[in-house]
């Protein structure tokens, strides 16, 4: 089955700095690569996604880059704000399944 | 649209009891799935369905049953609750699309097994 790893597991940054989270997956058949944000006690919510025919996608302060050859994709958050503090999950899609990574806890300090 | 509705929001069970977690969506989505999330952990796929009458196992299916008799509903049954099943359960839905689609999650059911 798909093996999904996220690094780092925790990340602390100063407000205004950038944050990068990397997700590595094992199955080359994966073809859809979303990132979800989960605030404490809340449901996961999609923040950005990318498909296998695109290398990079940007939405304001958030971007995702994909390297299919190396089987990893990354979440980039620029100009971080305290409200970006949450747990972030990657979840590559393979055939009929989303397999979630173990999560990265991002803390943004004012 | 209500989106994905999960009931109950909280439940406490005794070991050995059975119960059904309800999940309903009003978006006419073909794809529905159940995840469990243990404290401080990621989401693990329990079961999923690509349409009415079709279900399949995810990463951690043991101890759980599902059925999909309608497009709207996807109940999750715990056959004989065990303390190891204490978790938060999320239901999600999406259009099938074949290539993966953004998942719409419910608010979760917080289940404690004593």
């Amino acid at each position: 089955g798909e093996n999904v790893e996220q690094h780092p597991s925790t990340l602390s940054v100063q407000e205004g700095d950038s944050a990068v989270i990397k997700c590595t997956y094992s199955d080359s058949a994966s073809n859809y690569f979303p990132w979800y944000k989960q605030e404490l006690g809340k449901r996961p919510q999609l923040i950005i996604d990318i498909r296998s025919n695109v290398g990079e996608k940007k939405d304001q302060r958030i971007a995702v880059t994909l390297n299919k050859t190396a089987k990893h994709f990354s979440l980039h958050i620029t100009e971080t704000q305290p409200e970006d503090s949450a747990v972030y999950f990657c979840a590559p899609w393979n055939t009929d399944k989303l397999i979630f990574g173990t999560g990265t806890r991002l803390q943004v300090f004012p | 649209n209500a989106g994905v509705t999960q009931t109950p929001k909280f439940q406490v069970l005794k070991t050995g009891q059975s119960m059904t977690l309800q999940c309903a969506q009003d978006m006419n989505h073909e794809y529905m799935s159940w995840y469990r999330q243990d404290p401080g952990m990621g989401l693990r796929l329990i079961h999923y369905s690509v349409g009415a009458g079709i279900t399949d196992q995810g990463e951690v299916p043991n101890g759980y049953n599902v059925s999909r008799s309608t497009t709207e509903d996807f109940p999750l049954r715990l056959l004989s609750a065990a303390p190891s099943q204490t978790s938060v359960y999320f239901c999600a839905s999406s259009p099938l699309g074949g290539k993966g689609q953004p998942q719409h999650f419910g608010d979760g059911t917080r289940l404690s097994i004593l």
Side-chain angles (χ1 to χ4, degrees), chain A residues 32 36 38 41 43 51 96, chain B residues 31 37 99-100 103 105:
Chain A
Y32 170 65
Y36 286 83
Q38 187 178 32
R43 59 185 159 180
R51 297 197 181 273
D96 291 333
Chain B
Y31 186 87
Q37 185 174 32
K99 292 186 179 181
Q103 299 296 306
F105 282 87

Side-chain angles (χ1 to χ4, degrees), chain A residues 32 34 36 91-94 96-100, chain B residues 31 35 45 103:
Chain A
Y32 170 65
Y36 286 83
W93 173 271
N94 185 329
D96 291 333
K97 295 189 281 283
L98 268 182
I99 302 299
F100 278 75
Chain B
Y31 186 87
Y35 292 86
L45 181 65
Q103 299 296 306

Side-chain angles (χ1 to χ4, degrees), chain A residues 36 43-46 98 100, chain B residues 4 6 33 35 43 90-93 103-108:
Chain A
Y36 286 83
R43 59 185 159 180
Q45 293 197 297
L46 178 77
L98 268 182
F100 278 75
Chain B
V4 178
Q6 290 186 238
S33 55
Y35 292 86
L43 285 79
F90 288 100
C91 178
S93 75
Q103 299 296 306
H104 299 252
F105 282 87
D107 287 331

Side-chain angles (χ1 to χ4, degrees), chain A residues 59-75:
Chain A
D59 182 4
Q60 298 183 344
R61 296 186 298 110
I62 295 172
V64 54
T65 57
L66 171 64
N67 185 329
K68 276 218 84 181
T69 304
K71 288 189 274 188
H72 65 74
F73 61 112
S74 297
L75 175 69

Side-chain angles (χ1 to χ4, degrees), chain A residues 4-110:
Chain A
V4 180
E5 294 186 359
Q6 270 182 249
H7 295 282
S9 56
T10 61
L11 183 57
S12 297
V13 300
Q14 200 81 33
E15 182 178 359
D17 287 349
S18 295
V20 181
I21 304 169
K22 183 176 179 180
C23 181
T24 304
Y25 60 96
S26 60
D27 196 328
S28 56
S30 296
N31 57 14
Y32 170 65
F33 306 94
W35 283 95
Y36 286 83
K37 176 184 180 181
Q38 187 178 32
E39 296 175 353
L40 190 62
K42 302 280 185 68
R43 59 185 159 180
Q45 293 197 297
L46 178 77
I47 55 170
I48 197 165
D49 57 7
I50 194 169
R51 297 197 181 273
S52 58
N53 58 342
V54 176
E56 181 174 356
K57 182 178 177 180
K58 199 169 182 179
D59 182 4
Q60 298 183 344
R61 296 186 298 110
I62 295 172
V64 54
T65 57
L66 171 64
N67 185 329
K68 276 218 84 181
T69 304
K71 288 189 274 188
H72 65 74
F73 61 112
S74 297
L75 175 69
H76 305 256
I77 306 174
T78 59
E79 300 171 31
T80 52
Q81 300 168 3
E83 52 264 38
D84 294 329
S85 296
V87 180
Y88 292 82
F89 294 99
C90 64
W93 173 271
N94 185 329
T95 314
D96 291 333
K97 295 189 281 283
L98 268 182
I99 302 299
F100 278 75
T102 48
T104 296
R105 182 173 300 279
L106 174 65
Q107 290 182 299
V108 181
F109 293 98

Side-chain angles (χ1 to χ4, degrees), chain B residues 8-83:
Chain B
K9 294 192 187 310
F10 302 93
Q11 184 71 49
V12 179
L13 291 178
K14 293 182 179 177
T15 298
Q17 287 185 315
S18 62
M19 83 159 291
T20 298
L21 308 187
Q22 301 292 344
C23 176
Q25 52 92 8
D26 61 358
M27 297 171 282
N28 202 32
H29 286 167
E30 298 98 330
Y31 186 87
M32 296 186 75
S33 55
W34 277 102
Y35 292 86
R36 61 175 288 174
Q37 185 174 32
D38 299 333
M41 304 284 285
L43 285 79
R44 291 184 292 169
L45 181 65
I46 305 172
H47 286 285
Y48 65 97
S49 168
V50 299
I54 306 169
T55 64
D56 209 340
Q57 295 182 349
E59 303 170 273
V60 289
N62 292 344
Y64 307 94
N65 272 359
V66 291
S67 59
R68 185 93 181 271
S69 55
T70 67
T71 299
E72 294 79 19
D73 300 298
F74 191 42
L76 177 73
R77 277 179 283 277
L78 278 71
L79 309 173
S80 177

